[in-house]
Amino acid sequence: MKAVETRIVAQDEGDQRLDRWFKRYYPTLGHVHLTKLLRTGQVRVDGRRVKASERLEAGQTIRIPPMDVPAASAAAVKARPGGKGDTETAEQLRRLILHTDRDVLAINKPAGLAVQGGSGITKHVDGALDGLMFDAKERPRLVHRLDKDTSGVLLVGRSYQAARRLTEAFRAKSAMKIYWALVVGEPKPNAGSIEGAIGKLPGRAGEKMAIDPENGKRAFTRYVTVERLGGKVTWVALFPVTGRTHQLRLHMAELGTPILGDGKYGGPDAFLQGEGVSRKLHLHARAIRIPDAKGRPIEVIAPLADHMARSFAFFGLDEAAAGDPFEDFED
């Protein structure tokens, strides 16, 4: 018999209607069926009875009763005979583990691997988490996301309680994420803050975001120039104070210095001609600092993805030059 499941609203899933959340994860669950589950109290948010129009907040819990309707993330997983989930991707991720303790698993996510399933996506981190249980009694849970083409540190909670604590840390801004990027051109000034509300473009633009002062969600990014390369390329460190979809990519493009390889937001200007540099996105989640269950800091650093390491070597960049880029930051 299936058991009641508790799902945590991820950091980037806040401020959306409950019925839309269900549509994402349970696309075959009809509205009438969902309404009945809500009316009878079988689906609850933080233990409360709610309506389908309830606006969710990151870190909230959703009670999901036993259902015959499969979850979308499970449906997208490529089944393996005699195993659980995507064992091939799980084996790849086991070789990329940066940190593990009783509560937290940190993975150096490769560029090109999606974190969650979606249209046409059969391989993703979420589909491989059964293979990363190790000695734990629960299946690991995602607590935040990285874009498919972004590499670097991805944290996973090894239990429901750990995932909830990590999600709360992201929501309370007690977690600090540092990204490295190579951008085309030179940001001016050399260091500063970018604030621009972000909303999703309507219509068939796909998952593309835009600056939307009227209806967008507040988005705030700090940046520091680490090294300039003759006006063509700049190595920057980025600190997203908020965590909106494509925030860093959009903010750097708005500054006039798109991230190298980001044709989605930078267009042709995001690529170098004849330089022998990879056309992949040059955005890397370099480090995460977050308190553990006892308040002690955990810091995880991810080595550069292969294509970024080659670009760093091509431009003669020394990784040690970054130091602590935000130590002396001034707004």
Side-chain angles (χ1 to χ4, degrees), residues 120-313:
I121 297 176
T122 58
K123 287 188 175 292
H124 47 85
V125 175
D126 191 35
L129 291 181
D130 283 308
L132 298 178
M133 287 180 60
F134 301 109
D135 58 342
K137 296 180 180 180
E138 299 179 46
R139 184 181 190 272
R141 300 165 188 255
L142 296 171
V143 294
H144 69 120
R145 293 198 308 170
L146 294 176
D147 291 346
K148 178 181 177 181
D149 295 322
T150 301
S151 58
V153 184
L154 180 72
L155 293 188
V156 178
R158 300 191 68 194
S159 66
Y160 162 73
Q161 291 295 339
R164 177 161 187 147
R165 180 181 58 77
L166 291 170
T167 303
E168 288 290 344
F170 281 113
R171 183 165 66 171
K173 306 293 189 297
S174 56
M176 184 175 187
K177 295 184 288 184
I178 304 298
Y179 288 72
W180 283 1
L182 295 183
V183 301
V184 180
E186 293 186 1
K188 295 180 181 179
N190 290 332
S193 299
I194 311 167
E195 188 164 9
I198 293 177
K200 189 173 182 178
L201 281 176
R204 298 184 178 182
E207 192 183 48
K208 188 170 183 180
M209 314 304 287
I211 299 296
D212 185 350
E214 293 185 4
N215 302 310
K217 297 178 182 177
R218 178 181 179 267
F220 184 57
T221 300
R222 291 176 173 173
Y223 72 91
V224 172
T225 294
V226 180
E227 190 166 341
R228 295 183 295 275
L229 298 168
K232 279 191 174 182
V233 176
T234 302
W235 171 16
V236 296
L238 303 166
F239 169 27
V241 180
T242 56
R244 308 303 179 203
T245 300
H246 297 174
Q247 175 177 320
L248 299 180
R249 298 168 64 179
L250 181 56
H251 275 176
M252 294 313 294
E254 284 293 308
L255 201 62
T257 53
I259 295 174
L260 185 62
D262 189 9
K264 187 166 193 171
Y265 291 101
D269 292 339
F271 300 96
L272 299 180
Q273 301 299 323
E275 293 285 354
V277 176
S278 171
R279 292 177 65 86
K280 291 183 179 180
L281 182 71
H282 284 66
L283 178 62
H284 179 70
R286 174 64 173 180
I288 287 185
R289 302 168 189 165
I290 196 167
D292 66 11
K294 296 183 179 179
R296 298 170 301 193
I298 298 173
E299 181 170 7
V300 184
I301 297 175
L304 288 171
D306 289 344
H307 72 281
M308 285 193 65
R310 289 193 296 269
S311 294
F312 267 54

